[in-house]
């Protein structure tokens, strides 16, 4: 009997990845709550051996198998080397993960993953774990979170695009890129372009021209042009804006992920979603389109300019 047939019926879920501080655990908690309100059976699986402050109970925790502090103490490794060892240990003990996941069959699984970027760009351990999950009949989509404050710095945004593209090519899963913490975007600074320029990753030559106004980046214009060409040639990277406090934003992300992993919800869940959205009032941001975010952002910038003029 093959590994896939032993896994039983299809199971669906998300592997939540991204750099440290991008909001992965917060996202898992918010999505867990949102999906439960729709009547979906949801379970959170923590695959981050360094995650000790979990905001909600996990159905399965890698700490039962290995923890980062134990690895660092016993092997004399730093946090980065320790995380890589933990993921290699998880890969070597895939039977442990499979046996624990058997108890969660019938649930929609949210896998909260570590924040070390190397694990998703060129190291193979976590990628192999995801491949094993596919053999066990899990249909997964990678949800890659990126902090929205990178949009305010053109150089950092190009770096984020390169990292996102590298992650998409390496992980080899249906992919949804998320700009997280959109409710805080006003605090990060002024955007050089409209928000849809960043979410849709439009003509990046404008971003290179904007970078050229900086004396430091002017010396690297040719390099930036080549990086931008690589991103545009693949034409894979785009982003969905997310504010976890806004149900409309959560719905858009949920629908994008459900489309990516092939999950199809029934009539009862659809009715629950309509009832939930009809009661979703009073949110600070409304994401029926990115234009709504941009309009509020522009208004706040205009108000700040008016206040500066009044002070003069």
């Amino acid at each position: 009997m093959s590994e896939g047939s032993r896994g039983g019926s299809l199971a669906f879920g998300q592997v939540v990845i991204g750099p440290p501080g991008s909001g992965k655990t917060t996202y898992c908690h918010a999505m867990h709550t949102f999906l439960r309100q729709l009547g979906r059976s949801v379970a959170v699986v923590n695959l981050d051996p360094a995650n000790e402050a979990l905001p909600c109970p996990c159905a399965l925790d890698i700490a039962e198998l290995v923890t980062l502090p134990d690895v660092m103490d016993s092997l004399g490794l730093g946090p980065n080397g320790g995380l890589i060892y933990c993921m290699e240990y998880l890969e070597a003990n895939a039977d442990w993960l499979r046996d624990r996941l058997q108890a969660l069959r019938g649930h929609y699984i949210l896998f909260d993953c570590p924040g070390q970027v190397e694990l998703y760009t060129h190291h193979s351990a976590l990628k192999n774990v995801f491949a094993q999950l596919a053999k066990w009949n899990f249909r997964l989509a990678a949800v890659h979170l990126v902090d929205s404050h990178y949009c305010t710095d053109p150089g950092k945004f190009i770096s984020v695009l390169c990292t996102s593209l590298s992650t998409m090519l390496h992980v080899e899963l249906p992919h949804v890129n998320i700009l997280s913490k959109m409710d805080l975007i006003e605090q990060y600074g002024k955007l050089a372009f409209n928000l849809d320029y960043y979410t849709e990753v439009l003509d990046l030559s404008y971003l290179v021209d904007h970078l050229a106004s900086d004396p430091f980046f002017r010396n690297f214009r040719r390099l930036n042009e080549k990086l931008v060409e690589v991103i545009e040639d693949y034409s894979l990277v785009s982003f969905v804006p997310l504010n976890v406090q806004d149900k409309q934003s959560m719905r858009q992300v949920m629908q994008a992920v459900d489309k990516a992993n092939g999950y199809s919800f029934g009539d009862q869940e659809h009715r629950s979603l309509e009832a939930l959205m009809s009661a979703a009032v009073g949110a600070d941001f409304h994401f029926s389109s990115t234009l709504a975010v941009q309009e509020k952002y522009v208004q706040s910038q205009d108000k700040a300019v008016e206040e500066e003029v009044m002070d003069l």
Side-chain angles (χ1 to χ4, degrees):
M1 185 177 293
S2 67
E3 283 187 288
S5 60
R6 284 201 304 268
S9 59
L10 287 178
F12 294 88
Q14 309 174 18
V15 292
V16 183
I17 61 179
S22 57
K24 297 183 295 297
T25 300
T26 301
Y27 169 86
C28 287
H29 176 55
M31 185 58 71
H32 176 268
T33 302
F34 185 78
L35 295 177
R36 281 179 61 88
Q37 289 176 332
L38 301 183
R40 195 179 299 188
S41 297
V42 190
V44 176
V45 172
N46 177 43
L47 293 184
D48 185 357
N51 199 349
E52 299 177 349
L54 300 172
C56 63
C58 291
L60 175 59
D61 192 344
I62 194 177
E64 300 173 17
L65 177 69
V66 63
T67 65
L68 181 60
D70 289 342
V71 169
M72 293 172 61
D73 292 340
S74 61
L75 299 179
L77 296 173
N80 290 336
L83 267 175
I84 290 176
Y85 178 89
C86 289
M87 293 301 101
E88 292 175 345
Y89 192 78
L90 175 63
E91 180 189 4
N93 292 272
D95 290 346
W96 172 87
L97 181 61
R98 182 184 61 192
D99 293 342
R100 295 299 190 278
L101 289 174
Q102 286 296 332
L104 300 178
R105 282 292 173 176
H107 288 73
Y108 187 96
I109 310 294
L110 301 173
F111 293 92
D112 188 0
C113 298
Q116 189 175 358
V117 175
E118 294 91 332
L119 293 171
Y120 314 114
T121 55
H122 59 271
H123 195 264
S124 61
L126 207 51
K127 170 187 174 181
N128 293 338
V129 171
F130 297 156
Q132 284 293 330
L133 289 169
K135 292 180 181 179
W136 302 334
N137 285 334
F138 280 89
R139 297 297 178 261
L140 302 173
V143 178
H144 184 212
L145 271 66
V146 174
D147 197 315
S148 60
H149 85 267
Y150 290 117
C151 294
T152 62
D153 187 319
K156 290 181 179 179
F157 187 66
I158 290 179
S159 176
V160 161
L161 291 174
C162 292
T163 302
S164 298
L165 178 60
S166 178
T167 300
M168 295 175 75
L169 297 176
H170 182 73
V171 172
E172 297 180 349
L173 284 175
H175 215 88
V176 178
N177 292 303
I178 304 291
L179 281 178
S180 63
K181 306 180 184 179
M182 288 301 300
D183 51 320
L184 303 177
I185 193 170
E186 296 177 19
Q187 303 176 18
Y188 292 144
K190 186 176 181 180
L191 298 179
F193 305 99
N194 289 345
L195 187 62
D196 57 355
Y197 177 87
Y198 300 93
T199 57
E200 300 301 326
V201 190
L202 302 176
D203 188 351
L204 295 177
S205 62
Y206 292 105
L207 205 61
V208 175
D209 292 337
H210 186 75
L211 272 175
S213 62
D214 188 317
F216 175 79
F217 286 107
R218 189 179 302 133
N219 298 327
F220 301 97
R221 182 185 180 97
R222 184 64 175 164
L223 173 62
N224 290 323
E225 288 176 347
K226 291 301 181 182
L227 290 174
V228 162
E229 285 180 13
V230 171
I231 296 166
E232 292 183 329
D233 285 347
Y234 277 97
S235 190
L236 291 175
V237 184
S238 62
F239 295 94
V240 179
L242 171 66
N243 171 11
V244 296
Q245 299 176 357
D246 184 1
K247 289 184 172 61
Q248 178 70 15
S249 175
M250 293 293 292
R251 183 188 72 166
Q252 286 200 335
V253 171
M254 180 200 72
Q255 290 175 335
V257 176
D258 285 349
K259 181 179 179 180
N261 64 16
Y263 182 88
S264 178
F265 52 80
D267 291 339
Q268 181 176 353
E269 188 170 324
H270 182 72
R271 289 193 296 269
S272 297
L273 178 62
E274 290 180 343
L276 179 64
M277 297 312 301
S278 66
V281 295
D284 292 334
F285 280 75
H286 299 279
F287 284 82
S288 57
S289 69
T290 56
L291 180 61
V293 186
Q294 180 62 24
E295 286 178 348
K296 179 167 182 176
Y297 179 84
V298 170
Q299 290 172 1
S300 66
Q301 292 296 319
D302 292 343
K303 183 178 179 181
V305 172
E306 291 176 2
E307 291 176 350
E308 289 180 3
V309 173
M310 293 297 294
D311 291 340
L312 294 175

